[in-house]
Amino acid sequence: QRPLDVVANVLLFVPFGAAAAAGTADPRRVRLVMYAGLGLALAVELSQVFTHNRIATTTDVITNTAGAWLGARWALRRRAGRRADAVA
């Protein structure tokens, strides 16, 4: 795959991960969001098996899952930063 496709696949799932982890400070939520991202990525790739103009790849699944994880981590860190600002 082209590097631009890899970056795009990661960035595509960052909002999903951020939204799914928003509103919580529980670090275990990151893992849950990552697994949800994996499930969603697998569903998307499975649907591509039945289309003629798309090709399902494991790289897409891995990069989409990484994007969900990054989004969840970002949301968690942002929430922790807000709590620290509120205390100070």
Side-chain angles (χ1 to χ4, degrees), residues 17-26 29 75-76 78-79 82-83:
T24 184
D26 186 1
R29 183 69 170 251
L76 194 69
R78 183 178 164 133
R79 174 126 171 119
R82 281 188 184 162
R83 287 189 351 183

Side-chain angles (χ1 to χ4, degrees), residues 21-84:
T24 184
D26 186 1
R28 293 174 296 183
R29 183 69 170 251
V30 172
R31 187 177 306 173
L32 180 65
V33 170
M34 184 188 70
Y35 288 135
L38 173 63
L40 182 59
L42 285 171
V44 168
E45 293 303 308
L46 182 61
S47 71
Q48 289 181 5
V49 168
F50 301 107
T51 62
H52 297 288
N53 60 344
R54 302 289 301 170
I55 298 172
T57 67
T58 55
T59 303
D60 288 351
V61 173
I62 293 167
T63 55
N64 291 154
T65 304
W69 179 82
L70 285 171
R73 291 284 302 161
W74 175 80
L76 194 69
R77 291 183 69 108
R78 183 178 164 133
R79 174 126 171 119
R82 281 188 184 162
R83 287 189 351 183

